[in-house]
């Protein structure tokens, strides 16, 4: 809270987010009485830049994994020991991480924490949704392509007839 005895104007700021409430209230008072305000910066600028970079990078990797799923499935079918469980763990971890990352930050799992995350750190929510959705798509596409590659490998071959 700040007060200007000369003009009789006061400013009160209550906040639950990052930043400097005293500077904000001083700037509000200065704006009201016509004085110059002190420039403020967003304390989460670097965090948002990192989260945006992570989101773009993760989206590129997961889209690549989904697009190359057919090639991945054919190589796994051709391998002597495909180690399928180990090959699917990274995509499963990314998908699960996207769902539980707000829990790791705020505490117990609740839909409320997703709302808080979306309100305070929207780029973190975007990163989590990217991991969940694209991770599930990439994992599902790999499983589907692997299953189809197996059906194509073991399909019976029909002998050629004289008519064809």
């Amino acid at each position: 809270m700040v007060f200007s005895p000369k003009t009789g104007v006061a400013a009160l700021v209550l906040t639950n987010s990052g930043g400097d409430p005293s500077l904000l209230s001083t700037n509000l008072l200065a704006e009201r009485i016509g004085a110059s305000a002190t420039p403020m910066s967003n304390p989460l600028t670097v965090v948002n830049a990192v989260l945006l970079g992570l989101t773009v990078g993760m989206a590129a990797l997961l889209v690549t994994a989904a697009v190359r799923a057919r090639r991945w499935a054919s190589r796994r079918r051709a391998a002597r020991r495909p180690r399928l469980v180990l090959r699917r763990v990274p995509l499963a971890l990314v998908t699960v991480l996207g769902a539980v990352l707000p829990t790791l930050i705020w505490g117990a799992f609740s839909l409320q924490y997703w709302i808080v995350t979306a309100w305070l750190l929207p780029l973190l929510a975007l990163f989590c949704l990217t991991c969940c959705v694209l991770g599930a798509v990439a994992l599902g596409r790999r499983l589907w392509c692997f299953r189809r590659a197996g059906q194509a490998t073991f399909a019976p071959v029909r002998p050629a007839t004289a008519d064809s």
Side-chain angles (χ1 to χ4, degrees):
M1 180 170 133
V2 292
F3 177 70
S4 172
K6 188 186 300 182
T7 60
V9 177
L12 173 68
V13 173
L14 300 172
T15 180
N16 65 349
S17 65
D20 188 358
S22 63
L23 182 59
L24 181 58
S25 59
T26 303
N27 281 345
L28 286 172
L29 181 64
E31 182 72 30
R32 179 72 176 161
I33 63 175
S36 62
T38 306
M40 295 181 66
S41 64
N42 183 355
L44 297 174
T45 301
V46 173
V47 172
N48 285 333
V50 169
L51 285 171
L52 181 61
L54 284 173
T55 302
V56 169
M58 187 62 71
L61 289 173
L62 291 172
V63 166
T64 302
V67 168
R68 294 183 176 176
R70 184 175 295 152
R71 187 172 76 173
W72 177 88
S74 65
R75 283 188 286 155
R76 294 291 67 80
R77 282 285 179 193
R80 285 182 63 186
R81 287 185 281 166
R83 296 188 177 121
L84 295 175
V85 173
L86 293 176
R87 303 263 182 205
R88 293 176 186 155
V89 166
L91 287 176
L93 284 177
V94 165
T95 305
V96 171
L97 173 75
V100 299
L101 189 60
T103 302
L104 298 175
I105 294 171
W106 307 114
F109 186 79
S110 171
L111 183 62
Q112 170 188 355
Y113 294 115
W114 265 95
I115 295 168
V116 170
T117 301
W119 179 257
L120 295 178
L121 295 168
L123 287 174
L124 178 62
L126 181 65
F127 175 73
C128 291
L129 289 173
T130 300
C131 288
C132 282
V133 172
L134 292 180
V137 166
L139 186 60
R141 177 133 165 85
R142 279 190 174 183
L143 291 171
W144 185 74
C145 287
F146 185 77
R147 184 171 176 235
R148 299 249 330 182
Q151 290 173 352
T153 303
F154 298 114
V157 178
R158 292 184 188 167
T161 61
D163 295 334
S164 35

